[in-house]
Amino acid sequence: MSVIFFIAGATSVYEVHQRTHAQVLSVSSVMINDKNIQKAQEDLKQIIHDDQKLVVQLDVSTSDGEMIGSGFLYDNKGDIVTNSHVIENASKVAVKMADSTTYQGSVIGKSPDIDIALVRVDALAGKAPMRIAN
């Protein structure tokens, strides 16, 4: 479970940095006051709240036992990005959403060399993915 919070936190920090980095540059000539600080804090809370809903827990069954990992909804096809070592030798992948809804997923790609993998959940097709900066 702590892995989920770590990835959610790391992803949120990255997303916040990407979203606010440009804003800070454009706001540098504006006088900072309590209203600006409050607005930035509210925006940050909303970004974190929205992105945490797209972080998922992966319950993976293998011939060696069970493994738990995490990932996030990457695109509107229902693809989840995770680490390759999480789904290594997976015979079954259950994807648990933040609201505890669970779906079956299937591994559609992996690269052990860079430790990344994709798990597709057809039931999530059409759902808005996590926004990621280029």
Side-chain angles (χ1 to χ4, degrees):
M1 194 62 146
S2 62
V3 172
I4 292 172
F5 289 116
F6 174 78
I7 288 181
T11 302
S12 295
V13 167
Y14 177 78
E15 183 69 20
V16 168
H17 173 72
Q18 293 301 317
R19 288 186 188 183
T20 59
H21 181 68
Q23 291 175 359
V24 170
L25 293 176
S26 65
V27 177
S28 62
S29 63
V30 176
M31 188 178 288
I32 296 177
N33 60 39
D34 288 340
K35 288 183 182 178
N36 290 343
I37 292 171
Q38 183 178 2
K39 174 75 171 126
Q41 289 172 339
E42 290 171 4
D43 290 346
L44 176 60
K45 287 178 184 177
Q46 188 62 46
I47 291 167
I48 292 169
H49 178 72
D50 292 345
D51 287 347
Q52 283 179 334
K53 295 177 193 173
L54 301 172
V55 175
V56 301
Q57 176 178 315
L58 301 172
D59 296 321
V60 180
S61 299
T62 70
S63 59
D64 296 329
E66 304 291 318
M67 177 180 275
I68 295 176
S70 62
F72 64 92
L73 185 60
Y74 173 73
D75 61 22
N76 63 2
K77 296 176 186 175
D79 295 339
I80 305 291
V81 172
T82 189
N83 295 106
S84 182
H85 71 266
V86 170
I87 53 87
E88 188 175 348
N89 301 319
S91 58
K92 181 179 169 187
V93 179
V95 177
K96 185 186 277 186
M97 305 300 290
D99 66 359
S100 296
T101 305
T102 303
Y103 301 101
Q104 288 305 121
S106 56
V107 177
I108 61 169
K110 62 182 175 178
S111 175
D113 295 336
I114 58 173
D115 196 26
I116 195 162
L118 286 178
V119 174
R120 179 156 294 164
V121 179
D122 293 328
L124 295 178
K127 184 172 175 73
M130 185 176 287
R131 290 181 12 185
I132 300 175
N134 292 335

